[in-house]
Amino acid sequence: MSKTITRQFAAEVKILDEKEGIVEYVASDESIDHDGEIVRAKGWKFTHFKKNAPFVDNHDYSSIDKLLGKVIAFEVKNDRLVETG
């Protein structure tokens, strides 16, 4: 019997420049993921992300329609990935 885990994520979005459409938001944290696992912030690697940091509406990269923009800055604060895009 499979177990379903539902994760509720309350988006925290801060508008930095309304005219340019630049926002700051929490992109990830240490809560349980869809596989029932927790990936600790200290284990996050950004090598590939730094090369091309897409700002997407979810983890579905199947279409350019999912692309909202580009992440222009990011940092880990209090075990949360905070992005600007």
Side-chain angles (χ1 to χ4, degrees):
M1 178 180 237
S2 66
K3 177 178 156 184
T4 301
I5 296 175
T6 302
R7 177 180 177 203
Q8 293 185 351
F9 188 78
E12 298 174 32
V13 179
K14 178 180 175 184
I15 298 171
L16 301 180
D17 186 330
E18 187 172 354
K19 185 175 180 181
E20 295 294 322
I22 298 174
V23 296
E24 179 182 271
Y25 54 94
V26 176
S28 190
D29 61 20
E30 291 189 340
S31 55
I32 297 173
D33 68 14
H34 68 280
D35 290 322
E37 302 172 333
I38 296 174
V39 180
R40 299 290 177 204
K42 67 182 180 182
W44 294 344
K45 305 290 184 222
F46 298 99
T47 306
H48 296 290
F49 184 73
K50 287 179 185 177
K51 293 177 184 177
N52 179 30
F55 175 14
V56 293
D57 66 354
N58 58 48
H59 287 276
D60 180 358
Y61 300 96
S62 65
S63 169
I64 197 164
D65 292 339
K66 306 295 182 182
L67 182 64
L68 301 175
K70 181 172 176 63
V71 174
I72 56 176
F74 67 93
E75 66 179 313
V76 177
K77 280 194 227 179
N78 301 319
D79 296 329
R80 301 183 324 165
L81 175 59
V82 179
E83 296 179 350
T84 302

